[in-house]
Amino acid sequence: MTDDLAPVTAEALRERMRSAPVLAGPLPAFDPAAAGPEPGPLFARWLAYALDDGVPEPHAMTLSTAGADGRPSARVLMLRGVDLGLPAFHFASDAASRKGRDLADRPYAALSWYWPRHGRQIRVTGPVEALDRSAARQDFLGRREVSRVAGFTGVTSAPLESRRAYEEARREAAEHVAAHPDDVPRGHTVYRLVADEAEFWQAAPAQDHVRLLYTRDPAAPGGWTRGLLWP
Ligand SMILES: Cc1cc2nc3c(=O)[nH]c(=O)nc-3n(C[C@H](O)[C@H](O)[C@H](O)COP(=O)(O)O)c2cc1C
């Protein structure tokens, strides 16, 4: 299928969006009273269910950051791993990219997932740290060759003068990877966001949506407080 190049009016779009089904279900049930005292195991259960049930790319997530000027910016990334105990969420990117620069200025971010088939949204916020070079090395060298070549092609988010310049850089990157298969780009970085807040949102028929918020609280038994939010 190719993009249809015919012009589309705003009114036509509005009509089509109005009639497009949202949270159509059937939706899984979620009993917040039965959720555990910590958010990690619940995250694992929801992600595992999305993987089992064939939700497309359920490990794709939106990372939101803000730069020194406070301007927010968001983009989709792959979740590379989770420490369920904390919980902490790992992702990888180029430290010189916009998100990398944002995180160097303000090491705090939000992650969100949306799984339409299950009517589920998870939001997590917390401080972010860059892991050491050995984590970057392990992450990068575990990738397929095409991804390693991409990692050596230019600097993510820097202005690109032409597609021709890109093709040339990509050719050089392929040669570099073939000649130095153990090399890791200097900027390749694995980041870790340690959740200090995690919200689980479950859609329900008739808009009886359920929201469960975990907030890190060292004074609470188990280190977390739990509460419902109005949907
Ligand atoms: C499904 C999907 C997965 C992606 N995964 C990553 C990723 O794991 N790391 C990454 O740096 N960019 C990834 N990207 C590209 C980013 O969305 C983004 O375009 C890029 O990192 C530059 O973002 P920035 O300019 O805000 O730094 C992915 C994009 C999509 C659509």
Side-chain angles (χ1 to χ4, degrees):
M1 192 166 76
T2 54
D3 284 347
D4 186 349
L5 297 178
V8 181
T9 66
E11 294 82 73
L13 272 183
R14 196 163 46 237
E15 267 320 299
R16 288 176 62 184
M17 288 190 289
R18 264 201 202 131
S19 56
V22 179
L23 303 172
L27 300 168
F30 172 50
D31 176 7
E38 296 163 19
L42 184 55
F43 177 86
R45 277 208 304 283
W46 280 26
L47 176 57
Y49 181 47
L51 287 161
D52 289 346
D53 203 29
V55 171
E57 301 177 15
H59 52 327
M61 58 192 187
T62 299
L63 167 73
S64 304
T65 56
D69 58 5
R71 283 182 177 224
S73 151
R75 76 291 287 158
V76 173
L77 256 66
M78 301 319 292
L79 175 65
R80 305 284 300 171
V82 196
D83 297 332
L84 290 176
L86 287 166
F89 302 86
H90 295 192
F91 53 91
S93 196
D94 184 342
S97 66
R98 176 168 179 179
K99 74 186 86 51
R101 286 180 273 124
D102 280 0
L103 290 170
D105 287 339
R106 288 184 183 225
Y108 205 89
L111 291 172
S112 56
W113 294 259
Y114 172 48
W115 300 315
R117 184 178 300 171
H118 298 159
R120 285 178 167 174
Q121 172 181 239
I122 301 179
R123 304 163 64 185
V124 168
T125 56
V128 179
E129 61 176 349
L131 300 187
D132 63 17
R133 293 311 299 158
S134 74
R137 202 176 164 72
Q138 197 183 359
D139 177 83
F140 189 80
L141 296 180
R143 290 170 178 241
R144 289 174 305 140
E145 185 173 331
V146 65
S147 165
R148 284 183 287 123
V149 169
F152 276 102
T153 306
V155 176
T156 305
S157 313
L160 170 64
E161 56 273 28
S162 66
R163 285 305 291 180
R164 203 169 153 174
Y166 172 82
E167 277 147 26
E168 176 69 6
R170 178 133 190 145
R171 195 183 52 71
E172 285 171 12
E175 283 171 14
H176 180 88
V177 168
H180 307 281
D182 292 335
D183 203 8
V184 178
R186 203 172 326 139
H188 185 77
T189 305
V190 178
Y191 294 93
R192 181 174 93 134
L193 181 151
V194 178
D196 57 16
E197 209 177 78
E199 184 199 320
F200 295 80
W201 190 98
Q202 172 68 66
Q207 306 224 353
D208 295 326
H209 310 319
V210 178
R211 298 177 66 186
L212 177 64
L213 176 67
Y214 290 84
T215 307
R216 193 180 287 282
D217 177 358
W224 293 89
T225 55
R226 242 178 358 155
L228 298 176
L229 298 175
W230 286 88

